[in-house]
Amino acid sequence: MSPFSRRDGLLHAEGVPLTQVAAAHGTPCYVYSRAALLERLAEFRQALAGRDALVCYAVKANSNLAILDQFARAGCGFDIVSGGELLRVIAAGGDPARVVFSGVGKTADEMRLALERGILCFNVESAAELERLDAVAGRLGRRAPVALRVNPDVDAKTHPYISTGLRGNKFGVAVDAALALYRRARELPHIEIAGIACHIGSQLLDPAPAAEAARKILALADRLAAEGIVLRHIDLGGGIGIRYRDETPPAIADYLAPILSLLAGRKERILFEPGRALVGNAGLLLTRIEYLKQGEEKNFAVVDAAMNDLLRPALYDAWHEILPVQVAEGDGVLYQVVGPVCESGDFLGKDRRLAVRAGDLLAVMSAGAYGMAMSSNYNSRPRAAEVLVDGERMHLARPREALDQLFASESPLPRA
Ligand code: LLP
């Protein structure tokens, strides 16, 4: 059931009318449903029941502490891509021993931090990174747990910007190179081989490419075993897609079923790194119409949220449903829903039929993943507020940035 539904024509987040959220915290404002997050997590867990499995929530999708706290309390692991994300996880009460560290550009400082905090595994993406990690761990007198992120060269059939498992991508090491790199890892004194990892892309709607990737990874794990390199875990990444418009993503259990049947009877622990699937449809962006403007060719609804708040439409031409918070009479008019930023690419939706007036609230749906997390201060716009709703209660998870915070840490050259 959607966590966002209408009562007497008024859109609610769980038990809270969105008009009440706007009155209390203003707009633009991200609104998340706690029940929705936990429901999706439960779905994941149910699909993995009876297996030695760990769900490592991909922090990059939505890194607000209130969200991380929910997953930490539920016993989740986390997939991070920076030292900043690690400190967020720890601040939210997450267990570093359940953290995997992905990314092609880990700095020595980030490696040190992660080693000191005792993370579960570094997902190493290149030979150079492996050597650096060995050196950093050596200086600390530790051994770094490592999985090689293998690029299985399968087409995830998703947007090219978020497809990561093809030969031409910057991510991971090729299957053929992986064997040699594992042999090298075995020789390095401060590296401990823990597992193998892959992640082929995001917003995947078809389980077949993920199963194909898993098949290749398992074949590689078997070759490694034949050489005496035994893996403790297999990390199959994230990527499960959600419905934004009319996509028909499989249920989590159906998406995982072909992968899990490949894994039947294996001893390794299984890790997944879902981001969007857990939080995407658990959040919306609440915005108010500032002006309705009749252009020569098109009508514009100028709202108070912009590409700096939600970049996905501008960056990927992504489609997010836009709903009036209060339903009104009439057929409506076609609008370009645009923000105040000085770029023609600053739109949240194109050609949307809406029956609205200036001052009305709109909800930009499916904005829980890669919404706030990709926001910026472009045009010196303060970042939006974030509210987590739990039943009838709303919790301010992050207040709107104050204008003077925008430049509080900047300093001009002193005058002579
Ligand atoms: N693991 C790794 C190594 C990743 O790179 C990603 C996402 C995930 C897990 C989580 O993927 P998910 O389950 O959320 O699909 N900004 C884009 C999405 C970029 C995804 C990057 N990597 C968007 O707004 O669609």
Side-chain angles (χ1 to χ4, degrees):
M1 218 195 73
S2 170
F4 306 110
S5 57
R6 290 192 190 279
R7 291 185 201 167
D8 299 325
L10 183 60
L11 198 58
H12 284 57
E14 300 192 23
V16 180
L18 291 176
T19 43
Q20 198 178 313
V21 178
H25 301 297
T27 53
C29 179
Y30 277 96
V31 185
Y32 310 121
S33 154
R34 174 174 181 262
L37 309 175
L38 296 182
E39 222 169 88
R40 291 292 276 174
L41 178 63
E43 231 184 285
F44 232 101
R45 289 244 166 106
Q46 222 159 357
L48 298 172
R51 314 218 175 210
D52 181 13
L54 183 64
V55 175
C56 294
Y57 167 64
V59 174
K60 66 170 81 74
N62 186 326
S63 56
N64 187 290
L65 254 52
I67 304 280
L68 300 183
D69 163 65
Q70 292 300 317
F71 290 129
R73 284 197 227 183
C76 279
F78 295 91
D79 166 49
I80 59 160
V81 289
S82 69
E85 287 191 349
L86 177 56
L87 292 183
R88 277 183 177 275
V89 166
I90 293 169
D95 180 2
R98 295 183 183 182
V99 167
V100 297
F101 193 169
S102 304
V104 294
K106 300 175 194 80
T107 66
D109 280 346
E110 288 176 320
M111 288 173 172
R112 197 173 317 117
L113 177 68
L115 282 164
E116 283 167 354
R117 300 305 171 108
I119 66 165
L120 175 65
C121 191
F122 290 85
N123 289 346
V124 167
E125 306 222 13
S126 65
E129 183 191 335
L130 185 68
E131 301 294 331
R132 177 186 280 181
L133 183 57
D134 179 60
V136 173
R139 286 199 288 276
L140 291 175
R142 297 184 188 222
R143 291 182 81 199
V146 156
L148 294 187
R149 175 168 173 186
V150 175
N151 186 336
D153 194 26
V154 296
D155 184 355
K157 303 196 187 81
T158 184
H159 191 290
Y161 283 15
I162 51 177
S163 177
T164 51
L166 277 170
R167 209 188 286 271
N169 289 130
K170 71 176 175 183
F171 299 100
V173 295
V175 174
D176 296 339
L179 201 57
L181 203 53
Y182 269 107
R183 289 184 189 131
R184 174 72 183 143
R186 177 163 57 179
E187 287 166 8
L188 290 170
H190 302 291
I191 296 292
E192 178 198 350
I193 295 173
I196 191 165
C198 82
H199 170 81
I200 59 170
S202 197
Q203 185 55 11
L204 311 184
L205 299 166
D206 175 2
E212 172 64 7
R215 201 185 51 71
K216 290 191 176 181
I217 295 301
L218 295 177
L220 185 54
D222 291 339
R223 273 177 77 189
L224 292 169
E227 295 203 13
I229 298 175
V230 179
L231 306 176
R232 291 199 293 268
H233 73 246
I234 295 176
D235 177 347
L236 293 172
I240 303 183
I242 61 167
R243 183 185 198 124
Y244 284 98
R245 187 177 193 174
D246 49 10
E247 304 91 336
T248 49
I252 289 174
D254 295 333
Y255 186 94
L256 294 181
I259 298 174
L260 294 178
S261 70
L262 289 171
L263 290 163
R266 297 193 72 104
K267 293 204 172 55
E268 301 93 338
R269 184 181 210 198
I270 312 153
L271 271 52
F272 288 99
E273 305 170 353
R276 187 189 326 258
L278 296 181
V279 293
N281 275 326
L284 58 79
L285 174 60
L286 187 60
T287 182
R288 197 180 286 282
I289 300 176
E290 292 285 350
Y291 303 102
L292 293 179
K293 173 172 172 176
Q294 217 111 25
E296 295 243 320
E297 286 179 13
K298 292 181 171 174
N299 297 310
F300 297 92
V302 183
V303 299
D304 63 5
M307 65 188 288
N308 74 295
D309 300 300
L310 181 64
L311 185 59
R312 304 191 73 259
L315 189 59
Y316 313 116
D317 212 8
W319 197 95
H320 286 257
E321 188 172 14
I322 299 179
L323 300 173
V325 165
Q326 179 75 61
V327 282
E329 299 278 303
D331 294 338
V333 180
L334 273 195
Y335 284 107
Q336 314 305 313
V337 181
V338 300
V341 162
C342 303
E343 301 229 14
S344 295
D346 178 29
F347 70 95
L348 298 176
K350 288 180 176 164
D351 300 323
R352 304 304 176 90
R353 186 165 295 282
L354 296 166
V356 287
R357 287 183 300 201
D360 284 0
L361 291 168
L362 297 177
V364 185
M365 307 305 289
S366 309
Y370 307 109
M372 186 65 177
M374 291 172 74
S375 68
S376 77
N377 290 124
Y378 188 38
N379 278 206
S380 285
R381 290 169 49 80
R383 253 175 289 225
E386 291 177 284
V387 166
L388 178 65
V389 169
D390 179 20
E392 312 282 317
R393 293 187 307 150
M394 59 178 155
H395 166 72
L396 182 60
R398 172 172 169 149
R400 177 179 323 291
E401 253 169 352
L403 286 176
D404 56 8
Q405 275 178 283
L406 289 175
F407 45 85
S409 59
E410 298 173 20
S411 58
L413 199 64
R415 294 178 194 208

